[in-house]
Amino acid sequence: MSLFDLSGKSAIITGSSRGIGKAIAEQFAAAGAKVTISSRKPGPCQEVAAALNEKHGDGTAIAIPANISSKEELQRMVDATNEAFGKVDIVVCNAASNPYYGPMEGISDDAFEKILSNNIISNHWLVQMCVPQMRERKEGSIIIVSSIGGLRASPVIGAYNISKAADFQLVRNLSAEYGPDNVRVNAIAPGLIKTDFARALWENPKTLERATSTTPLRRIGEPVEIAGAAVYLASDAGSFMTGQMMVVDGGQTVV
């Protein structure tokens, strides 16, 4: 069997109605996994799940809308996944918030708190809900989609970068706690990817030029290019990798 085979696995992917999360769900399903599609709005979730079921067979995907800011909604999503698929083998914490674009001196307390809560605490909640069964089975993979922003400063997305740096440490801590039970915890740190979430960065010609002119590959990434890293981390191919941050950025951070 392929090292990248996910047959018999069940995965929850937050923020999977579009962008990176959707691409991860598509590639997980292609590798044989059952997937839970989740974001805030029911309609887009149902559309993605329906497309996956049509392509890979009924029962491949379920749509469970959930707002990551609600612990109750996250728990309902986990419960529904357990009911539909019998277990949770893989968790991808992909959903995130960035309601503010500008210097740190201008951010409101509410916006700062929302960023930290949605991008760090909600990940912790979802892991707490899923990891007990993984530890009991002595197998599981947790993936947090962070950002290269966690490695650098920014005059316009500083709070977001702070939250993403915290995710790196969350991964390291949880990997140390769960490693003895063969539950792996890793992060993916994408560079600039062509998603709606990052539209403010790549749609601005000056920002795009600044981002790509010094990037070795001279372009921004596509969501599917992050999905490949997620398949690696979720599958047997990544079975000896934990506590790590996988940078997928076209080389942006090396120059």
Side-chain angles (χ1 to χ4, degrees):
M1 295 179 66
S2 167
L3 281 172
F4 299 92
D5 182 44
L6 294 177
S7 297
K9 303 295 185 183
S10 164
I12 288 175
I13 306 140
T14 63
S16 48
S17 64
R18 61 179 184 171
I20 290 173
K22 179 182 176 183
I24 291 173
E26 290 171 340
Q27 294 307 310
F28 276 13
K34 307 290 188 183
V35 295
T36 295
I37 306 299
S38 186
S39 66
R40 287 180 301 163
K41 298 179 180 179
C45 292
Q46 291 162 359
E47 289 175 11
V48 174
L52 291 176
N53 285 327
E54 183 177 356
K55 184 173 184 179
H56 300 287
D58 288 341
T60 296
I62 58 172
I64 309 294
N67 189 327
I68 58 172
S69 66
S70 169
K71 195 171 187 179
E72 291 74 21
E73 290 186 23
L74 288 177
Q75 186 64 63
R76 283 197 295 270
M77 177 184 63
V78 173
D79 292 344
T81 301
N82 281 322
E83 183 177 349
F85 301 139
K87 59 178 180 171
V88 178
D89 299 291
I90 305 159
V91 172
V92 181
C93 299
N94 170 68
S97 298
N98 187 29
Y100 177 76
Y101 188 86
M104 288 291 294
E105 65 181 359
I107 193 170
S108 68
D109 288 348
D110 286 345
F112 202 175
E113 288 175 2
K114 180 177 181 179
I115 290 170
L116 298 180
S117 179
N118 285 358
N119 298 0
I120 308 167
I121 295 174
S122 69
N123 292 342
H124 175 63
W125 285 343
L126 186 53
V127 171
Q128 277 186 316
M129 294 169 188
C130 296
V131 80
Q133 60 173 286
M134 296 179 179
R135 299 183 79 176
E136 186 176 348
R137 291 193 304 268
K138 305 296 183 184
E139 185 178 26
S141 177
I142 297 162
I143 303 165
I144 295 178
V145 179
S146 183
S147 168
I148 61 168
L151 299 169
R152 34 197 344 185
S154 169
V156 291
I157 55 170
Y160 175 79
N161 286 1
I162 288 167
S163 74
K164 292 304 182 176
D167 278 335
F168 296 151
Q169 187 59 36
L170 181 61
V171 161
R172 286 188 283 263
N173 275 31
L174 296 183
S175 68
E177 290 186 34
Y178 305 150
D181 290 319
N182 196 38
V183 177
R184 298 178 294 107
V185 189
N186 292 287
I188 301 173
L192 183 56
I193 306 297
K194 194 171 186 179
T195 64
D196 288 343
F197 185 82
R199 185 176 293 276
L201 297 174
W202 58 262
E203 202 169 47
N204 183 316
K206 291 184 179 179
T207 304
L208 180 61
E209 169 65 19
R210 186 164 61 248
T212 58
S213 63
T214 58
T215 298
L217 290 185
R218 295 295 191 271
R219 65 177 177 86
I220 64 174
E222 297 290 338
V224 71
E225 294 179 297
I226 305 304
V231 173
Y232 166 78
L233 292 174
S235 67
D236 286 346
S239 60
F240 198 53
M241 187 166 180
T242 196
Q244 301 303 310
M245 170 190 64
M246 181 184 288
V247 176
V248 187
D249 68 347
Q252 188 176 355
T253 52
V254 303
V255 294

